[in-house]
Amino acid sequence: PSCFGYPLSIFFIVINEFCERFSYYGMRAVLVLYFKYFLQWDDNLSTAIYHTFVALCYLTPILGALIADSWLGKFKTIVSLSIVYTIGQAVMAVSSISDLTDHSRDGSPDNVSLHIALSMVGLILIALGTGGIKPCVSAFGGDQFEDDQEKQRTRFFSIFYLSINAGSLLSTIITPILRAQECGIYSKQRCYPLAFGVPAALMAVALVVFVFGSGMYKKVKPQGNVMIQVSKCIGFAIKNRFRHRSKEFPKREHWLDWASEKYDKRLIAQTKMVLKVLFLYIPLPMFWALFDQQGSRWTLQATTMDGNFVAIQIQPDQMQTVNPILIIIMVPIVDAVVYPLIKKCKINFTPLRKITVGMFLASLAFVAAALLQVQIDKTLPVFPAAGQSQIKIINLGTDGVTVQFGPQLQSVSVMPMESVSYMTFETSQLQSLNITSGNKNKNEVIQLPGENRHTLGVKNNATGIVAKLLFDNVTSKPEEGNNLIRFINNLPHTINVTMGDTSFGTLESLSASNYNLFPGGRKDNITVITNSMPCSVISKALGFGSAYTIVINQCSANTLDVTYSEDIPPNTVHMAWQIPQYFILTCAEVVFSVTGLEFSYSQAPSNMKAVLQAGWLLTVAVGNIIVLIVAGASKLSEQWAEYVLFAALLLVVCIIFAVMAYFYTYIDPSEIEAQFDEEEKKQVEKDQDVYEKQAEADSHM
């Protein structure tokens, strides 16, 4: 059965691919944040495990191709590995339910190792599934067409590529929204079970849809695996060459010609073509090492930025959607506008030149990321180093205050109801404070523990100067764009404070509450109960990644008067500044990735397209392993320096590749194969002649 000239079975395959890619990219989008905030791993371990997983996903296609070609056939391979895949996604969703082991009901799992074990099992099953079916689905789609449907087949591959990007785009928008929800039985948490559960459900849908079309598919029998033949041929050539290494054996034109004793000329010629292309692949993994950091380092970079886009609030993991959006826009523009323009300028833009340009652009994208990181670092708070202490002053009274840090360090004046930001001192030198306000004076001897921040609350009231030294137990900027809030009670009596749904409990006069965490970018209602009378005010918008001390000054006519003291400034660098680096990287992907697939396809003999596809996917796997090695070995403490290092490495590799490409000569595999066909035909005719002459001679006897 067909529809619009396409086999009907194609539609099942495209829907299956859309759901499978939604499932994979949706899960992958929130993965690095799941490692960091749920399993509580640091940036480096999260990045390392993320890239190990991606590398696995690109190593398993070789396994999938072997199973399909030599044993089960494409259809059965897709079905059986999709079942493995669905189970993996389900295990992943279960691993992220904190209530599984949260016996103390405090919102964090008590037995983290169980969650880690479950998620590792889930990720291994997913890697087996997604990688195993990757080489089969597109080839299975190609199998559905007859030989005379060349045009439809080409268009099918375009639709197929679009369905991949549509699936990844939608899931990268949707799963971060699901993750940002709050859910849980006992305590509300970020909703990872939902963010992993929806991809698991879609994978099940993909499996059902694919099986449903079973009766319509054209199923090609497994042909035996070419990869095994190629490997055997290469192995035999090396062994044979090694055996005949003495001088009396004449040299052969190419080392692979040593396989001619056992293998036919055609296979040797095809293997030569494949090896020529695989040799060119050697520098390519470096590109993927940079490209795949969108999901790890770049997502972590976005968590330190401001995601407020006018009316909508963007999650850090949603910034990854910029890539598929740009791909969908750029592929047609580059094909229809950019390449024709280059052609008009009489520039011969060969596939290998395109790949070189792609590598150069990816290197530029990381320079952009490094420049942005430098700007972000400028906005990050500086915490006291070893042997240092920091103090900020809040004046809670109506008179000006001067504080002299002693002996003879510095003096600071603070206006009424205002505060000054943190000052850093050597802990050993800071021994006393002299506070002057109005005509009153107060001396304090202090001993600080060091390596900490403190707030000094000062108030000149009727009984004299009151000074309270508070301990600020904040050691880092709040992550994921959250804010930290605490209150100081500047009223003469005890009060009860709530903000939004969070209760800060009772606060005595001139005492401070602990810090509590609030989601970024919103306003909350602050309510104070004094003498059983409620008094409230809506807070100001607190931005992202900030910490504030809110001073409660007075209550008049049920309206609260508060002042804000900024302990840590909010993220000021906007997430939109990541768009340039995404744009440059997407341009790189369009000229590199799309061209690479096309080039591999055009330079491969007809029966070895799969070998080169596997080789191409292998470059992605090796690229992710490079991230692990470079990030692990470089030990660079500054993130911008790591970006520059990656950019420099890719630039060097790009130059090496340009030299290799310069010496490459393009071939037409079909012409070479036609020559063999011609030779074989002549040989058959020759044998036929000999046979006929022999028969004639026999009949005369």
Side-chain angles (χ1 to χ4, degrees):
S2 68
C3 174
F4 303 119
Y6 293 90
L8 198 56
S9 54
I10 285 303
F11 297 98
F12 291 100
I13 294 170
V14 169
I15 295 167
N16 164 275
E17 183 65 12
F18 169 80
C19 294
E20 188 273 325
R21 291 287 83 188
F22 185 106
S23 177
Y24 173 70
Y25 283 109
M27 186 273 314
R28 208 175 99 171
V30 297
L31 196 57
V32 82
L33 298 184
Y34 167 71
F35 291 156
K36 188 172 179 187
Y37 299 117
F38 186 88
L39 299 179
Q40 300 292 320
W41 291 345
D42 65 5
D43 282 17
N44 289 337
L45 183 60
S46 303
T47 302
I49 301 290
Y50 175 87
H51 286 288
T52 309
F53 167 68
V54 177
L56 254 184
C57 289
Y58 284 95
L59 282 171
T60 47
I62 297 170
L63 195 69
L66 282 172
I67 296 172
D69 291 348
S70 322
W71 182 38
L72 285 178
K74 296 188 193 83
F75 176 75
K76 284 182 181 162
T77 306
I78 295 169
V79 173
S80 47
L81 286 175
S82 292
I83 295 170
V84 172
Y85 192 166
T86 312
I87 295 168
Q89 287 282 30
V91 171
M92 214 41 222
V94 172
S95 81
S96 64
I97 302 172
S98 61
D99 294 319
L100 263 188
T101 63
D102 183 12
H103 308 305
S104 58
R105 301 189 178 181
D106 61 351
S108 56
D110 299 342
N111 181 358
V112 179
S113 46
L114 174 71
H115 293 273
I116 293 174
L118 277 174
S119 40
M120 292 306 110
V121 169
L123 289 175
I124 290 166
L125 292 176
I126 292 168
L128 268 176
T130 184
I133 64 179
K134 199 181 258 103
C136 305
V137 179
S138 55
F140 188 68
D143 288 347
Q144 305 306 310
F145 294 89
E146 301 300 330
D147 292 340
D148 58 350
Q149 292 182 303
E150 194 55 47
K151 199 170 145 199
Q152 283 96 325
R153 182 182 290 147
T154 313
R155 194 156 301 150
F156 159 72
F157 281 113
S158 300
I159 297 168
F160 192 75
Y161 197 69
L162 263 182
S163 78
I164 290 175
N165 278 296
S168 84
L169 170 64
L170 275 174
S171 65
T172 328
I173 294 172
I174 293 167
T175 46
I177 296 173
L178 300 176
R179 177 193 66 83
Q181 304 307 313
E182 304 214 317
C183 64
I185 305 167
Y186 306 124
S187 60
K188 298 285 175 250
Q189 295 303 308
R190 292 278 188 224
C191 207
Y192 290 104
L194 194 60
F196 290 138
V198 170
L202 266 150
M203 194 52 226
V205 170
L207 177 59
V208 171
V209 167
F210 186 73
V211 173
F212 193 72
S214 173
M216 300 177 203
Y217 299 136
K218 195 165 129 195
K219 297 171 190 167
V220 181
K221 290 260 185 308
Q223 308 267 310
N225 195 297
V226 186
M227 269 192 257
I228 296 172
Q229 274 177 292
V230 171
S231 313
K232 279 183 178 168
C233 176
I234 294 170
F236 181 77
I238 293 169
K239 224 166 27 187
N240 206 17
R241 172 77 190 91
F242 198 70
R243 260 194 229 129
H244 303 97
R245 59 182 184 279
S246 63
K247 294 277 190 293
E248 70 248 30
F249 295 105
K251 270 193 160 174
R252 300 191 183 178
E253 201 181 322
H254 190 284
W255 62 270
L256 260 176
D257 294 333
W258 286 95
S260 58
E261 277 89 327
K262 191 172 174 185
Y263 294 92
D264 67 345
K265 273 186 183 164
R266 178 184 289 240
L267 181 73
I268 292 171
Q270 290 172 333
T271 308
K272 281 180 191 170
M273 294 184 230
V274 167
L275 285 179
K276 218 171 132 185
V277 179
L278 286 180
F279 175 67
L280 268 187
Y281 279 0
I282 294 170
L284 302 188
M286 202 63 222
F287 172 87
W288 297 114
L290 277 72
F291 183 79
D292 276 333
Q293 287 187 53
Q294 292 176 81
S296 58
R297 289 294 196 215
W298 285 16
T299 300
L300 293 171
Q301 183 184 53
T303 61
T304 58
M305 301 173 79
D306 173 10
N308 201 6
F309 281 79
V310 197
I312 43 174
Q313 170 48 42
I314 299 265
Q315 297 297 330
D317 32 354
Q318 276 177 315
M319 279 307 287
Q320 297 172 50
T321 53
V322 176
N323 174 259
I325 291 171
L326 287 172
I327 277 279
I328 290 167
I329 301 168
M330 302 275 302
V331 170
I333 291 178
V334 169
D335 275 347
V337 181
V338 180
Y339 289 160
L341 274 177
I342 292 173
K343 210 168 180 184
K344 271 216 166 104
C345 300
K346 301 269 190 296
I347 298 169
N348 183 13
F349 204 30
T350 60
L352 292 179
R353 283 181 187 165
K354 289 177 189 171
I355 292 174
T356 313
V357 169
M359 290 165 102
F360 176 69
L361 286 173
S363 175
L364 267 186
F366 264 63
V367 172
L371 292 172
L372 179 61
Q373 191 63 46
V374 170
Q375 293 307 316
I376 293 170
D377 289 347
K378 284 182 190 164
T379 68
L380 295 177
V382 178
F383 289 96
Q388 291 182 333
S389 293
Q390 290 181 337
I391 292 188
K392 69 180 279 187
I393 302 167
I394 299 182
N395 183 353
L396 303 169
T398 48
D399 298 318
V401 168
T402 303
V403 180
Q404 165 72 49
F405 293 95
Q408 292 94 41
L409 289 175
Q410 69 188 84
S411 95
V412 184
S413 297
V414 191
M415 301 300 287
M417 297 305 198
E418 288 192 7
S419 58
V420 293
S421 51
Y422 287 99
M423 294 163 285
T424 307
F425 298 99
E426 295 299 320
T427 309
S428 56
Q429 292 178 359
L430 183 61
Q431 291 152 11
S432 63
L433 300 171
N434 184 315
I435 304 164
T436 317
S437 179
N439 52 6
K440 295 174 188 144
N441 200 318
K442 180 170 186 165
N443 267 317
E444 291 260 333
V445 175
I446 56 168
Q447 259 192 322
L448 298 178
E451 278 189 68
N452 277 302
R453 289 183 148 195
H454 304 269
T455 297
L456 180 68
V458 180
K459 188 172 190 176
N460 180 3
N461 56 20
T463 54
I465 295 175
V466 182
K468 268 280 188 73
L469 192 63
L470 307 169
F471 175 59
D472 305 351
N473 58 342
V474 178
T475 52
S476 65
K477 197 171 168 66
E479 288 180 319
E480 278 196 283
N482 291 324
N483 297 314
L484 285 168
I485 307 291
R486 70 166 174 185
F487 288 93
I488 290 182
N489 176 9
N490 196 17
L491 295 167
H493 42 263
T494 303
I495 57 170
N496 205 311
V497 186
T498 52
M499 179 164 172
D501 303 328
T502 308
S503 167
F504 284 81
T506 44
L507 276 188
E508 290 176 13
S509 180
L510 296 184
S511 69
S513 71
N514 288 330
Y515 282 102
N516 270 328
L517 213 52
F518 286 84
R522 64 181 211 196
K523 302 173 183 178
D524 272 304
N525 195 25
I526 303 171
T527 306
V528 166
I529 296 176
T530 66
N531 306 332
S532 70
M533 288 293 292
C535 206
S536 61
V537 68
I538 301 279
S539 75
K540 67 173 191 175
L542 298 169
F544 302 86
S546 66
Y548 283 96
T549 299
I550 302 177
V551 182
I552 294 165
N553 294 319
Q554 63 176 13
C555 171
S556 59
N558 292 354
T559 306
L560 208 55
D561 172 42
V562 295
T563 47
Y564 297 87
S565 172
E566 191 178 80
D567 302 338
I568 292 177
N571 299 343
T572 47
V573 181
H574 202 279
M575 276 190 207
W577 285 107
Q578 273 197 325
I579 293 174
Q581 69 203 46
Y582 272 103
F583 175 73
I584 301 170
L585 195 64
T586 305
C587 294
E589 183 190 4
V590 171
V591 292
F592 180 95
S593 185
V594 180
T595 312
L597 285 170
E598 210 177 306
F599 170 76
S600 308
Y601 212 78
S602 72
Q603 297 296 296
S606 55
N607 61 337
M608 297 202 185
K609 308 255 187 240
V611 180
L612 278 187
Q613 292 294 348
W616 178 257
L617 293 173
L618 198 64
T619 63
V620 183
V622 176
N624 280 278
I625 294 165
I626 290 174
V627 180
L628 300 181
I629 297 166
V630 175
S634 68
K635 294 280 180 282
L636 293 170
S637 55
E638 297 292 337
Q639 187 54 55
W640 66 265
E642 191 184 278
Y643 288 145
V644 171
L645 174 68
F646 274 110
L649 285 172
L650 184 58
L651 194 61
V652 171
V653 169
C654 175
I655 294 165
I656 295 169
F657 181 78
V659 173
M660 286 165 67
Y662 179 74
F663 291 107
Y664 183 86
T665 42
Y666 291 87
I667 52 165
D668 182 355
S670 53
E671 259 180 37
I672 296 173
E673 287 179 346
Q675 278 175 357
F676 279 109
D677 290 342
E678 193 62 37
E679 279 174 23
E680 278 170 20
K681 207 165 127 192
K682 280 179 184 163
Q683 188 63 42
V684 169
E685 282 169 3
K686 208 168 161 189
D687 293 349
Q688 191 68 30
D689 279 356
V690 171
Y691 176 73
E692 280 169 4
K693 278 176 185 164
Q694 185 67 42
E696 218 170 280
D698 289 349
S699 66
H700 284 311
M701 276 171 76

